Amino acid sequence: MATPDTSGPHLLLCGPHRRHTADMGEPAGYSIKTYRYLRMAMVAMVVLLGAALVIEWSKTNPHCLQTSISAYYYTPVQAIFVGALITIGVCMVVLKGNTEPEDILLNVAGVLAPGVAFVPTPSPGSCRSVPMVLGDTTANIANNMLALFIVGGPCLAVTLVFVTRARLSRADSNPMYLVGFAVVAAIFGGGILWFFVDRGGFDGHAHYAAAVVMFVCIVAVVLLNAEQFRRKQHRAEHHRAPTTKPMPANRYSAIAIAMVVVPLVMWAWRALFGWGHVVLWIEGSLITLFAIFWIIQTQELWNEGLRGDGQELPRSQATPSPLRSRSLE
């Protein structure tokens, strides 16, 4: 479970976080509990979206599927599709990554998630349980994206104030915070420019652009965690007493390999034999694997906070993880 951090502000949330330390005076560790709930909320949103998709599919011909998860925007799943993506995006921005590169990747993915939700795929597909009632998609995009830009702009400005103040006061000299801010600001500014200069191109292609970059960031986060956990294993093994149990296997590596190999195999199958639903299954596989990754990471960091940062809760405040067996506590 990633904890708040005072070393720099977290993007788009209009405020800095406080690191949860061992001498924390809050009763029962309310701060870290909040972050645990945020992490579990992300998994709940994935399950919610999956349930909505299955319910919609059960009401159609078993062989009738939309060509992508995004195409279910044009079915009764729409409200949950949009709401789940926005919630997941906010959670990814709020939560602190174990390292600054991981934090930047989570921020970028979180910033792009509302774009994936607000700008639907241009192809509505043909499989749905009820006749399609298509509203004015262009008007929806214009309204919702403009609202996102209006809110996001001031949040970026406030974030810049926090970054600048931290550097001027020498409370933080890590240049990665400036890099992270610059990356998100560039994506946000580029989106605004694209929106106003080429509205037709934005409406037709922004969904794909945001979705591809978001998934790339998610895969990169898992790859980073696989390497971080390998280093943690190495350090633990070096200092492990003969009587203590070794660390568990690096499950992040298995997930990272699957997130790279599975889409490549599916895309190769499509190229060789044709497969109209390849995007649907690639999206579904990556989302499922990311949910599994998030559960495993939440279990690993339930009490210790950020991996390898030395910030571990004292036993008096530690709470057993409901995702972990008693033998591992």
Side-chain angles (χ1 to χ4, degrees):
M1 155 71 212
T3 55
D5 194 330
T6 54
S7 57
H10 212 53
L11 297 177
L12 292 186
L13 263 290
C14 299
H17 292 313
R18 292 183 301 146
R19 184 181 296 278
H20 180 91
T21 58
D23 60 350
M24 183 188 71
E26 297 154 333
Y30 291 141
S31 292
I32 199 166
K33 282 186 176 181
T34 299
Y35 275 74
R36 290 169 181 165
Y37 300 153
L38 281 171
R39 295 183 68 90
M40 291 188 288
M42 287 181 63
V43 178
M45 289 300 101
V46 173
V47 175
L48 178 67
L49 178 58
L53 293 172
V54 170
I55 291 170
E56 169 64 11
W57 172 67
S58 70
K59 295 180 180 179
T60 62
N61 186 299
H63 301 289
C64 186
L65 291 167
Q66 293 282 64
T67 55
S68 68
I69 291 177
S70 300
Y72 279 92
Y73 175 95
Y74 299 100
T75 72
V77 178
Q78 182 183 112
I80 286 181
F81 173 79
V82 174
L85 274 175
I86 293 174
T87 303
I88 290 171
V90 169
C91 288
M92 284 195 289
V93 172
V94 167
L95 289 165
K96 182 76 174 67
N98 287 286
T99 63
E100 290 314 311
E102 180 182 337
D103 201 39
I104 292 171
L105 290 168
L106 287 173
N107 282 333
V108 171
V111 168
L112 291 173
V116 177
F118 292 152
V119 185
T121 174
S123 176
S126 58
C127 291
R128 56 185 58 83
S129 60
V130 296
M132 181 174 62
V133 179
L134 187 61
D136 191 333
T137 304
T138 301
N140 291 345
I141 295 173
N143 181 84
N144 297 332
M145 290 305 301
L146 185 58
L148 180 64
F149 295 145
I150 290 172
V151 172
C155 284
L156 274 175
V158 172
T159 300
L160 180 60
V161 171
F162 285 125
V163 171
T164 304
R165 286 177 59 185
R167 294 190 69 81
L168 291 177
S169 64
R170 299 185 182 276
D172 169 38
S173 59
N174 189 344
M176 290 301 294
Y177 289 113
L178 287 176
V179 173
F181 176 84
V183 170
V184 173
I187 291 174
F188 193 77
I192 293 175
L193 186 65
W194 190 8
F195 178 80
F196 285 106
V197 172
D198 182 16
R199 182 65 60 81
F202 185 91
D203 292 356
H205 303 289
H207 174 88
Y208 298 122
V212 169
V213 177
M214 182 183 74
F215 276 117
V216 168
C217 289
I218 287 172
V219 173
V221 166
V222 180
L223 290 170
L224 282 176
N225 274 267
E227 175 59 20
Q228 292 162 18
F229 192 80
R230 185 193 67 79
R231 295 178 182 178
K232 181 179 178 179
Q233 283 180 313
H234 179 74
R235 291 194 301 269
E237 188 63 27
H238 181 72
H239 298 288
R240 184 173 66 89
T243 56
T244 59
K245 294 182 179 180
M247 289 186 64
N250 191 341
R251 294 170 289 179
Y252 299 120
S253 293
I255 297 173
I257 292 170
M259 293 183 90
V260 174
V261 173
V262 170
L264 291 177
V265 170
M266 289 183 176
W267 200 259
W269 183 276
R270 174 189 178 277
L272 293 172
F273 307 106
W275 190 7
H277 295 91
V278 64
V279 175
L280 173 69
W281 288 101
I282 288 176
E283 289 176 334
S285 299
L286 290 177
I287 291 172
T288 301
L289 287 168
F290 184 68
I292 295 171
F293 155 78
W294 205 252
I295 291 171
I296 292 172
Q297 192 190 59
T298 300
Q299 171 187 323
E300 179 204 350
L301 304 177
W302 188 258
N303 280 323
E304 86 178 42
L306 298 179
R307 183 186 300 118
D309 66 352
Q311 299 296 329
E312 185 169 353
L313 285 174
R315 278 296 174 187
S316 62
Q317 295 179 0
T319 304
S321 166
L323 308 175
R324 182 180 302 185
S325 65
R326 288 184 179 272
S327 61
L328 296 177
E329 291 293 337

